[in-house]
Amino acid sequence: MAGLRAAQALGYTHALQIDADGQHDASDIPRFLAAMHDTPDTLILGRPVYDDSVPKARLYGRYVTHVWVWIETLSLDIRDSMCGFRLYPLAPVCALIDAVRIGPRMDFDIEVLVRLHWRGLRVRTIPTRVIYSGDGVSHFHVWRDNARISAMHARLVMEMIPRAPVLIARKLRGRSDKTRSKSMSWWSAPERGSALGIAVLAWCCRVLGVRFAGLLLHPVVAYFVLTSSAARRASARYFTHLADASPSADTPHPGWASAYRHVLSFARSGLDKLAGWSGQMPLNAIEIEDREVYDEIVTSGKGALVLGSHLGNLEMTRALAARDARSRVTAVVHTEHAQRFNAMLAHASSEFRERMLEIGSVGPDTAIALKSRIDAGEILVIVGDRVPVGEHGRTVEASFLGESALFAQGPYVLAHLLGCPVYVFVCVREGGRHRLYLERFAERIVLPRQKREACIAQHAQRYAERLEHYCRKAPYQWFNFFDFWQRPTRPVSGQVSKQEGRMHD
């Protein structure tokens, strides 16, 4: 608290806190600072991603405090209140510690978050790796500090009771401005589900089988549909567009039943990903629609760029390739919003992380690295149905299900830079089997300087048309649970950036 006050007195607006015990990954500091610049009035919290070094007693013991914090705030906004890696906006924090007496020891980290939440400060979480070294020294006194934390929770619960009407009203109101901003920002939506729940699902899948684990999805999906109004609205708008674009008796109509079936299909795709990576899905459960195109890619020995989407199960590309020695598939992805689920897949297969490459934007260094992979014969998979992270990238409009939507320019710029063949991939569940559709999109994408924007728009429209085709084929397997047609609040430039222009040259 003395450090926070001193920083504010020196004119600083924010302060970053990181424990000095070496458990936190200091290389994540730039990510915290980037989040600060994006949302300067937000409290940035680390959300631990543990490896096998974490003691199980500590891992599960933390949930005692987590549950109390969720009760005290009547929300799940604070996913982990004990992580010592966070970034404070100084004005609200210093105003709080000057006005309220807060515990100065192990109870500080927890109490300050609850009280800031009571005051309406928004919270954003960033997944960060946490390790436990065998020779680490802990200054946590089991009896004394647990007693201090227990007394703190007792005080907070008593203070929460008179605040409950305000907290409930705030939750029901839903902060409409926050909802609007997140409807387009798929990357900022918090990952639903606890690490414990995901671990239980993985255990059931491994020990009791995929079919039994699938039965557990129904109550989970029912809870999600009831509590996630944003997902219901996104599902309803998608089905409305689908019905308007292709009216027929088989087209789902918006409503609770279609929303439940939509989310259930999404949950099953996650289970299929786990089964695919853990080797529990037999190869005869996957059918390739056009085997000639598939063999053309994997037997040529040449690199290729595959345009995927969040329609169907994109993970089947890598899971299938993991058992096919003829090809090497790498996914170029953004993974921050699904760290816990990806950690489960990484635990199921040691090859999962090796076949994933996370990038934020397409710059010269990224293009060089990807070009070397293409030259080595790798197949790169990139999605084309989500706008760039942070809305700082370039987008292009295309007609999709009867209304204009924004698509990323990045895949087509990247294909031009790589100079390799481009394919479209979709894997949909049909009955109890998976059918892979692989189409030739372009032998090579060329973007002439004078016609660059027009060419990008033409490729994006072709891609949107193929998405429409597969949406009609598998209407419940479109997994973009946000308002896909909404415009961002900031203007989107139709011009390619100078950096991208230099890369083209």
Side-chain angles (χ1 to χ4, degrees):
M1 287 186 281
L4 294 174
R5 291 187 178 106
Q8 187 184 41
L10 290 171
Y12 291 99
T13 60
H14 293 75
L16 186 137
Q17 168 191 330
I18 183 169
D19 286 352
D21 54 10
Q23 292 181 355
H24 297 293
D25 187 356
S27 66
D28 280 340
I29 289 177
R31 297 172 62 208
F32 281 72
L33 299 180
M36 175 196 72
H37 288 295
D38 287 342
T39 52
D41 298 326
T42 299
L43 176 63
I44 312 297
L45 302 181
R47 187 173 70 242
V49 177
Y50 297 104
D51 59 14
D52 293 336
S53 67
V54 59
K56 298 304 180 185
R58 292 196 182 188
L59 176 62
Y60 299 120
R62 296 168 71 92
Y63 277 89
V64 175
T65 276
H66 295 344
V67 171
W68 280 116
V69 168
W70 298 336
I71 293 172
E72 290 152 6
T73 60
L74 297 183
S75 78
L76 300 176
D77 293 343
I78 302 173
R79 306 299 299 185
D80 190 301
S81 58
M82 303 180 74
C83 182
F85 197 177
R86 53 184 67 175
L87 195 149
Y88 298 105
L90 284 173
V93 175
C94 289
L96 172 67
I97 62 179
D98 288 341
V100 180
R101 184 182 181 278
I102 297 179
R105 292 186 59 82
M106 295 293 183
D107 45 351
F108 171 82
D109 283 348
I110 305 166
E111 185 174 1
V112 71
L113 298 189
V114 173
R115 294 190 179 278
L116 287 172
H117 189 277
W118 285 350
R119 292 189 170 206
L121 189 64
R122 294 183 180 180
V123 177
R124 177 177 175 181
T125 60
I126 293 180
T128 183
R129 186 171 62 96
V130 176
I131 60 173
Y132 281 79
S133 60
D135 57 351
V137 177
S138 174
H139 295 279
F140 187 88
H141 299 280
V142 175
W143 297 108
R144 187 172 60 193
D145 285 323
N146 274 322
R148 183 179 286 111
I149 291 173
S150 298
M152 173 206 65
H153 282 307
R155 290 196 310 273
L156 292 177
V157 168
M158 295 303 295
E159 291 184 46
M160 179 273 294
I161 294 174
R163 287 183 170 88
V166 175
L167 298 176
I168 294 173
R170 182 195 300 168
K171 189 173 184 65
L172 293 176
R173 190 166 59 249
R175 295 175 180 172
S176 59
D177 56 335
K178 181 178 179 181
T179 302
R180 284 195 299 269
S181 66
K182 282 195 173 183
S183 63
M184 188 72 182
S185 305
W186 56 269
W187 59 89
S188 63
E191 182 180 11
R192 295 290 298 267
S194 67
L196 179 61
I198 292 174
V200 169
L201 179 64
W203 180 87
C204 291
C205 183
R206 184 176 64 254
V207 177
L208 302 177
V210 177
R211 180 168 297 183
F212 179 84
L215 298 177
L216 301 179
L217 296 179
H218 290 274
V220 175
V221 168
Y223 171 80
F224 181 85
V225 171
L226 288 171
T227 59
S228 182
S229 58
R232 291 198 307 272
R233 287 194 299 270
S235 176
R237 186 165 190 193
Y238 159 69
F239 285 127
T240 298
H241 280 86
L242 187 63
D244 291 343
S246 56
S248 70
D250 298 330
T251 303
H253 293 280
W256 285 91
S258 61
Y260 177 84
R261 188 172 172 184
H262 196 185
V263 176
L264 181 63
S265 180
F266 172 67
R268 281 177 173 163
S269 75
L271 197 61
D272 290 338
K273 292 176 184 179
L274 177 61
W277 277 108
S278 60
Q280 297 184 67
M281 182 175 294
L283 286 176
N284 59 15
I286 304 174
E287 296 181 358
I288 301 175
E289 178 67 15
D290 195 334
R291 188 82 195 191
E292 177 186 348
V293 179
Y294 175 78
D295 290 336
E296 172 186 305
I297 297 178
V298 298
T299 60
S300 68
K302 299 179 181 179
L305 185 67
V306 173
L307 298 181
S309 67
H310 293 81
L311 192 155
N313 200 330
L314 183 63
E315 211 70 42
M316 286 301 164
T317 317
R318 294 190 287 156
L320 182 63
R323 290 178 284 169
D324 189 339
R326 297 179 298 171
S327 62
R328 179 170 179 81
V329 177
T330 300
V332 183
V333 296
H334 174 79
T335 62
E336 180 178 309
H337 63 292
Q339 289 283 346
R340 290 193 292 274
F341 184 75
N342 286 328
M344 177 185 70
L345 296 182
H347 183 73
S349 172
S350 60
E351 294 188 63
F352 177 80
R353 292 292 185 192
E354 298 174 6
R355 296 179 181 269
M356 179 187 296
L357 178 65
E358 183 171 5
I359 62 173
S361 61
V362 180
D365 53 343
T366 305
I368 293 172
L370 295 180
K371 185 66 167 65
S372 66
R373 289 174 177 261
I374 288 290
D375 292 342
E378 286 193 36
I379 300 170
L380 301 182
V381 181
I382 187 170
V383 297
D385 62 335
R386 287 187 177 178
V387 298
V389 176
E391 297 171 358
H392 300 310
R394 323 309 290 182
T395 56
V396 60
E397 291 191 8
S399 177
F400 178 65
L401 293 179
E403 186 175 339
S404 178
L406 294 180
F407 288 82
Q409 292 186 9
Y412 315 107
V413 174
L414 182 61
H416 169 78
L417 297 172
L418 297 179
C420 62
V422 182
Y423 298 83
V424 171
F425 171 87
V426 172
C427 176
V428 296
R429 206 176 204 274
E430 298 179 355
R433 306 173 67 83
H434 291 82
R435 186 173 295 277
L436 275 64
Y437 295 89
L438 197 59
E439 303 179 2
R440 298 179 183 90
F441 189 78
E443 182 61 31
R444 181 176 178 180
I445 288 181
V446 179
L447 304 177
R449 173 174 290 278
Q450 301 301 322
K451 300 180 180 179
R452 186 171 298 156
E453 294 177 36
C455 289
I456 290 176
Q458 181 182 12
H459 291 305
Q461 185 59 55
R462 284 183 55 215
Y463 175 78
E465 290 169 0
R466 299 316 298 155
L467 283 184
E468 281 194 19
H469 170 76
Y470 289 107
C471 282
R472 295 186 182 98
K473 182 180 289 292
Y476 289 103
Q477 296 183 51
W478 168 260
F479 300 142
N480 278 314
F481 286 98
F482 61 93
D483 193 345
F484 193 79
W485 291 267
Q486 180 178 325
R487 291 294 184 272
T489 54
R490 67 185 67 184
V492 179
S493 171
Q495 302 295 320
V496 179
S497 67
K498 291 182 180 179
Q499 182 187 53
E500 289 174 345
R502 289 194 298 270
M503 289 162 59
H504 285 295
D505 295 340

